[in-house]
Amino acid sequence: MDEMVSNNKILIIDSDKDTCRLLQFSLMKDGFEVQCVQSLREGYDVIVSSSPGIIIIDINLADGAGLEALRLIEIIKSIHPGAHVISSSVCNGNNERGKSLDSGASYFVDKPFSGKEIHSIVHRIAS
């Protein structure tokens, strides 16, 4: 079921609406098509329906933290192997970093992260 993913389409899955809005606004200024959702369920629906090439996901969400979020990363990679996942967490732990990368994330970013850091990663992926 691997539709072609578009590295111009970005999905942000994060419960912090301010983080979503700031990233969405700045990435849209760079020409990306950006959608934000606040839950794993909503994220799954968007992934299936619109094939984003870049997914930025907080692995600690209200409807699924830790293992549930890591499972979504595995599902993303099974549906769209070409998608790039940037996982993030406020917990600054090597354990979460390792588990995220083992689940298929391309990058792990500690929260709070800078917009500059995310932009650098997104532009590296998109080029």
Side-chain angles (χ1 to χ4, degrees), residues 76-127:
I76 293 166
K77 295 304 284 184
S78 70
I79 296 172
H80 302 301
H84 297 274
V85 178
I86 303 166
S87 60
S88 67
S89 175
V90 76
C91 293
N92 192 6
N94 285 331
N95 192 31
E96 285 181 332
R97 176 184 306 276
K99 286 183 179 181
S100 288
L101 297 173
D102 287 347
S103 295
S106 304
Y107 299 90
F108 181 89
V109 181
D110 292 317
K111 278 186 154 187
F113 50 74
S114 71
K116 192 177 205 177
E117 183 177 16
I118 294 297
H119 276 261
S120 174
I121 293 170
V122 166
H123 283 279
R124 193 172 328 139
I125 291 169
S127 61

Side-chain angles (χ1 to χ4, degrees), residues 44-101:
Y44 177 80
D45 291 343
V46 172
I47 289 160
V48 170
S49 67
S50 73
S51 305
I54 301 171
I55 298 101
I56 301 168
I57 181 172
D58 183 346
I59 62 169
N60 290 304
L61 296 165
D63 70 335
L67 294 176
E68 293 89 355
L70 294 174
R71 180 69 186 124
L72 181 59
I73 294 171
E74 292 171 351
I75 291 169
I76 293 166
K77 295 304 284 184
S78 70
I79 296 172
H80 302 301
H84 297 274
V85 178
I86 303 166
S87 60
S88 67
S89 175
V90 76
C91 293
N92 192 6
N94 285 331
N95 192 31
E96 285 181 332
R97 176 184 306 276
K99 286 183 179 181
S100 288
L101 297 173

